Amino acid sequence: SLVSDTSVCAGSITTLKAVVTGATSYSWSSNPVDPSLTNNGPSATFTARANGSYTINASGVNGCIRSKTIRVTVLPLPTVVARGDTTICRPSPVSLSATGARSYTWLDEGGGSVGIGASLTVTPQQTTKYVVVGVDSNGCTNTDTVTVTLRPDIDLTVAGDNISCDGQPITLVCSAPSGVNESDIMWLDETGATFATGKSITVLPTRRTVYRATLPGAGECTDTVVHE
C-alpha cells in the first residue's frame, strides 16, 4: 500500500514509503521519467520538479509482481519580492518590505532572526544582507534578499590662510581620513570645475574667492569642504 495521491512544493526532496509484506525485491519507476528518482527498497526519494506518477513494483519469492501507483502534483513556489536595497552613510533606520506570500520571516546573513511580518525597520551597524522567507497558503516557501550597504563618511578638512595681502600666494592643504588616497583630492573653482588635484595647492587670488575640495565620484557620504 501507498499513501493516497499527494501534493508537494516545487524543489522539495520527497520520500515515498510503501508498506509491503511478502516481497523480496522492489523497483520504482515514474511517468514521465524522473532522473532524480532514487530506489531504496520499499521507499523512493526524488526532487519535485513536475507533476508525475510514481509506481512501486514488488516481487515475491515465486516471482509474482504486484504494483501500486501514486500521483504527485507539484505546487509552484510563491514569488517572494523583497525591497529595501539601499546605501547609507551612517547607521540609521532602513525600512524593508516583502510581497508575494502569506507570512514572512526575516533573517540576517548569519541566519539569525531579525523579525516577522511583511515589513520591518532595521538599523545595521555594518553592510548587511537580509533574507526574507515567505510562506504561501500551501505551506510552500521561497526567499529573496536585500542588502543595506553602510558606506563610511569621508570628512575632508582644508587648512591655510584665508587672507592674502597684496596678492601674495597662499597654500591650501586638504586632509582626508586614513585610507583615502589624498593624491585623488580634486580642487574646484567657483564654477565647480576642477582646476587642480592633490593634497595641496598654491593659489594667487585677485579677489575674494571660494575654493572647494572633494574626491572623485563624491556622493552623499563624501564631504565637499569650502575655503574662502
Side-chain angles (χ1 to χ4, degrees), residues 13-216:
I13 298 176
T14 303
T15 298
L16 302 176
K17 294 181 179 180
V19 177
V20 185
T21 57
T24 57
S25 64
Y26 313 88
S27 66
W28 287 84
S29 61
S30 60
N31 182 28
V33 175
D34 185 347
S36 71
L37 180 63
T38 301
N39 290 275
N40 297 301
S43 66
T45 302
F46 64 94
T47 301
R49 293 191 177 91
N51 298 341
S53 298
Y54 294 82
T55 300
I56 182 173
N57 298 297
S59 299
V61 292
N62 55 11
C64 295
I65 299 174
R66 176 160 285 176
S67 301
K68 189 77 172 183
T69 298
I70 181 174
R71 177 74 181 174
V72 176
T73 300
V74 177
L75 303 173
L77 302 183
T79 302
V80 177
V81 178
R83 297 177 177 85
D85 289 290
T86 189
T87 297
I88 55 178
C89 299
R90 58 191 63 83
S92 57
V94 175
S95 295
L96 308 180
S97 64
T99 58
R102 184 182 63 179
S103 61
Y104 307 89
T105 301
W106 295 84
L107 309 172
D108 61 24
E109 52 194 314
S113 177
V114 177
I116 59 175
S119 62
L120 78 163
T121 300
V122 295
T123 306
Q125 302 300 308
Q126 60 186 7
T127 296
T128 305
K129 291 183 179 179
Y130 296 93
V131 178
V132 61
V133 181
V135 183
D136 65 12
S137 57
N138 294 316
C140 297
T141 64
N142 208 347
T143 64
D144 198 14
T145 302
V146 295
T147 301
V148 179
T149 302
L150 187 63
R151 208 184 278 165
D153 284 328
I154 299 177
D155 295 320
L156 305 177
T157 58
V158 172
D161 291 337
N162 58 10
I163 296 178
S164 172
C165 297
D166 297 327
Q168 294 298 311
I170 289 179
T171 297
L172 304 179
V173 179
C174 180
S175 299
S178 175
V180 174
N181 187 353
E182 292 179 325
S183 64
D184 290 337
I185 293 172
M186 302 187 305
W187 295 87
L188 312 177
D189 62 22
E190 291 178 303
T191 68
T194 302
F195 69 91
T197 58
K199 180 178 177 65
S200 64
I201 59 170
T202 299
V203 293
L204 289 165
T206 58
R207 58 180 174 80
R208 183 185 297 271
T209 306
V210 174
Y211 300 95
R212 292 178 173 85
T214 188
L215 287 168

